[in-house]
Amino acid sequence: MIVDCGVYAEGERRDLPKDPETVARAIDDDHASFGWIGLHDPSDAEMKRVQRLFDLHDLAVEDALQIHQRPKVERFGDMILVVLRTLWYVDEGDAVETGQVTAFIGQRYVVTVRHGEGGELATTRHQLEERASMLGHGPAAVLWAICDAIVDQYETVAEQVEIDVDEIESSVFSPERTSDAERIYGLKREVLEMRRAIDPLREPMEEFAHGVAGLGPKASPFFRDVADHLTRVSEQTESIDVLLQSALNAHLARVSVQQNDDMRKISAWVAIAAVPTMLAGIYGMNFDNMPELRWHFGYYAVLLLMAVVCSTMYAFFRKVGWL
């Protein structure tokens, strides 16, 4: 649906009806203004309606309608297409959910198409409308505000994932037996989803930071700040991935050690049980001519021998740490 439509001139929003046709007419009549149209999960009819008004390229519109696009920046004539992945964290399932924001940046218009529940732009729009000095830079200011808000979301998600990584590290190295492999693997998949959203965006942000035709030279310092934050969260995500791999290796090593301990204990008890089994097996043979078979104290002597040997073996295994 069409979420909001606004026309801005000299850093102020003009009081006009909120529909795409009004925005298109206003920017045609007043060459000092620009328009911003926001759509959320638009239908094909709504997208074609906006496409006709602003002469958007067919391939760009196709990218905007298809979700799970790779983050990218493309130029179609005087228009810049920016595809961004949005991230938000669901703590109950240790899940990083993804969405998409596609921005069409023209000389005097901005069209944003959002998919998914995360990455809402209403707050970004309101904050930008309160900063007339920023809004006066035109569509470049809108693109900067969108990129800045989405990169801030990346940092928030990375911080929440780090909390879960700390919990996993505490669990892996706790004295209790835990099963953390499944959770670690799940988090590694979520971190991979984060890297798919973050890493492809670094190069475009660096280009914006050094100046891109159509955005204006005054926008570069603001995009340098976004690029710096993006680099930081990219390195943070890489560190999280390394920590998770280390935690997984430590968990597997600990499981292997625990299995070896269990095998030593089992082997020790089997060895202890083998002594009375052997003696009982020998004296259970049906032979007449066996040593001490008719001795009055033979039964008690064999029991005593079993007890002494088993006690000695138990003490030895306790000493060497097998029990």
Side-chain angles (χ1 to χ4, degrees):
M1 62 180 178
I2 298 175
V3 179
D4 197 0
C5 299
V7 177
Y8 304 88
E10 297 180 354
E12 298 291 336
R13 178 166 180 159
R14 297 175 60 184
D15 187 15
L16 294 173
K18 298 180 179 180
D19 61 78
E21 287 77 13
T22 300
V23 173
R25 285 194 300 269
I27 64 176
D28 285 340
D29 296 339
D30 182 3
H31 296 288
S33 63
F34 75 94
W36 180 3
I37 298 175
L39 301 95
H40 181 210
D41 290 328
S43 64
D44 290 344
E46 289 172 331
M47 198 67 225
K48 288 185 180 300
R49 174 185 172 190
V50 175
Q51 180 184 9
R52 286 192 300 269
L53 290 171
F54 298 96
D55 193 25
L56 303 179
H57 197 281
D58 290 337
L59 293 177
V61 171
E62 183 180 343
D63 286 344
L65 289 174
Q66 294 180 354
I67 60 175
H68 305 304
Q69 291 283 329
R70 188 176 186 271
K72 62 181 180 179
V73 174
E74 292 185 354
R75 183 177 289 276
F76 295 88
D78 294 334
M79 184 201 72
I80 299 175
L81 174 71
V82 182
V83 179
L84 305 168
R85 297 287 293 275
T86 58
L87 302 176
W88 68 97
Y89 195 64
V90 181
D91 190 52
E92 290 78 8
D94 292 345
V96 177
E97 300 293 340
T98 62
Q100 180 176 302
V101 170
T102 305
F104 301 85
I105 310 298
Q107 292 182 349
R108 291 191 299 110
Y109 67 84
V110 177
V111 177
T112 54
V113 182
R114 182 168 64 91
H115 294 281
E117 297 300 322
E120 59 88 19
L121 299 177
T123 303
T124 303
R125 183 190 290 265
H126 295 326
Q127 290 176 345
L128 193 58
E129 289 174 353
E130 294 174 356
R131 303 175 65 180
S133 59
M134 284 295 304
L135 200 55
H137 290 288
V142 176
L143 178 59
W144 165 79
I146 293 171
C147 294
D148 186 59
I150 290 177
V151 171
D152 285 345
Q153 290 175 350
Y154 293 166
E155 292 182 312
T156 301
V157 170
E159 290 172 358
Q160 292 173 320
V161 172
E162 276 192 332
I163 294 174
D164 285 339
V165 173
D166 290 340
E167 293 175 358
I168 286 175
E169 287 181 326
S170 299
S171 178
V172 166
F173 295 103
S174 67
E176 300 177 358
R177 289 198 173 193
T178 57
S179 179
D180 300 304
E182 183 177 354
R183 188 181 183 191
I184 295 173
Y185 181 74
L187 272 177
K188 281 184 68 65
R189 290 190 62 182
E190 302 308 318
V191 170
L192 178 60
E193 196 69 35
M194 293 172 60
R195 298 185 70 172
R196 287 174 179 166
I198 295 170
D199 291 347
L201 202 58
R202 293 183 62 176
E203 184 176 349
M205 288 300 108
E206 289 292 340
E207 292 180 3
F208 288 162
H210 292 88
V212 173
L215 295 182
K218 294 183 179 180
S220 298
F222 298 99
F223 283 104
R224 280 201 294 270
D225 181 67
V226 176
D228 179 65
H229 287 190
L230 188 64
T231 300
R232 183 171 61 193
V233 73
S234 177
E235 293 173 349
Q236 184 179 10
T237 305
E238 185 176 354
S239 298
I240 291 173
D241 192 32
V242 171
L243 285 174
L244 283 172
Q245 185 61 48
S246 299
L248 180 60
N249 293 338
H251 173 71
L252 295 177
R254 188 176 182 192
V255 168
S256 179
V257 170
Q258 290 172 345
Q259 290 175 342
N260 289 337
D261 289 340
D262 293 340
M263 288 303 300
R264 285 200 298 264
K265 291 178 181 179
I266 293 171
S267 300
W269 283 114
V270 168
I272 292 173
V275 173
T277 301
M278 181 187 66
L279 292 175
I282 291 174
Y283 280 92
M285 296 178 182
N286 296 319
F287 293 109
D288 290 333
N289 189 18
M290 291 183 66
E292 314 300 341
L293 189 61
R294 304 293 180 181
W295 185 33
H296 178 72
F297 298 102
Y299 173 73
Y300 304 103
V302 170
L303 289 181
L304 179 62
L305 177 63
M306 289 181 183
V308 170
V309 173
C310 290
S311 298
T312 303
M313 293 180 68
Y314 178 80
F316 172 76
F317 286 133
R318 287 281 293 181
K319 183 178 180 181
V320 297
W322 282 38
L323 288 176

